[in-house]
Amino acid sequence: MNLYQQWEKMIEEQGRSKKVDYNKFIEEYLQKEKEVYEQILADHTQTVSGTCSELAKKFGMSAPEFAGFIDGINTSLKEEINLEELTEDTHVTLDIDYEKLYWNMLDAQAEWLYTLPAWENILTEERREEITKDYKQSKIVVKPKKVGRNEPCPCGSGLKYKKCCGK
């Protein structure tokens, strides 16, 4: 069983336990995740690299928990990692696109992550505001104007819509 499958199994087993235990498990994981992000963001000029077991130990996580972390950051990497092939001996490189990571944190509504003070040393406040604005605009749904039956047909025939494409 690869590390990612072990991670999924851990989540599944916790989901079957009492709600209090599951919530405690998730809170503990999210705290570990926050600490990993704080370390990575604090030393953002260095690319994180090593085997899964080495990196898990470095960041104070179990190997399956680290696989869960990789799952969360994977779409923010310049080159995604195949989660199905992760083992403790798999060498991984976390070459992070920090603007994409910030966007993905906004998308995940992870305020505890995108408000970390370490972001100030990576992206300027103006750039973070710009990414936030672009993110919010991407979530706005714009419906096209409905053609009225007595308006000219949009196909360009010169007829009213009701006599042309609206039949």
Side-chain angles (χ1 to χ4, degrees):
M1 184 181 309
N2 68 45
L3 290 177
Y4 186 66
Q5 289 170 332
Q6 290 176 36
W7 170 247
E8 288 179 321
K9 186 177 178 183
M10 283 174 66
I11 295 291
E12 186 180 314
E13 288 172 357
Q14 288 297 324
R16 285 190 220 129
S17 64
K18 294 179 185 175
K19 189 172 184 170
V20 175
D21 294 338
Y22 178 74
N23 289 343
K24 183 180 177 191
F25 172 79
I26 294 298
E27 285 176 25
E28 288 173 359
Y29 171 76
L30 292 176
Q31 182 59 39
K32 288 178 186 179
E33 180 184 55
K34 181 180 176 183
E35 291 168 5
V36 172
Y37 276 116
E38 286 173 337
Q39 289 179 33
I40 290 173
L41 295 175
D43 199 15
H44 69 279
T45 57
Q46 300 294 318
T47 301
V48 178
S49 185
T51 66
C52 284
S53 59
E54 291 170 347
L55 294 175
K57 186 176 180 182
K58 175 183 176 181
F59 294 122
M61 297 178 134
S62 69
E65 287 175 325
F66 190 68
F69 174 79
I70 292 173
D71 180 35
I73 199 171
N74 211 9
T75 57
S76 302
L77 300 177
K78 292 176 183 171
E79 190 174 321
E80 287 191 28
I81 296 168
N82 185 344
L83 297 172
E84 300 302 320
E85 295 178 359
L86 278 182
T87 65
E88 291 192 18
D89 298 324
T90 303
H91 186 79
V92 294
T93 301
L94 303 181
D95 191 12
I96 303 167
D97 178 342
Y98 287 98
E99 289 188 3
K100 196 171 183 181
L101 177 63
Y102 192 79
W103 175 286
N104 289 337
M105 287 178 174
L106 289 169
D107 194 34
Q109 300 176 355
E111 185 177 350
W112 67 95
L113 296 176
Y114 66 77
T115 57
L116 289 170
W119 279 109
E120 295 169 10
N121 299 324
I122 300 169
L123 300 172
T124 63
E125 184 176 348
E126 293 81 21
R127 184 62 186 138
R128 286 179 283 153
E129 287 173 2
E130 190 177 310
I131 292 169
T132 302
K133 181 181 174 187
D134 291 345
Y135 168 74
K136 288 179 179 178
Q137 284 181 339
S138 75
K139 298 299 175 188
I140 296 173
V141 177
V142 180
K143 293 183 179 179
K145 185 180 177 253
K146 185 177 177 183
V147 180
R149 55 187 304 258
N150 287 318
E151 293 179 21
C153 190
C155 76
S157 67
L159 299 172
K160 289 184 177 182
Y161 179 71
K162 68 181 177 184
K163 298 270 186 183
C164 188
C165 295
K167 273 189 173 179

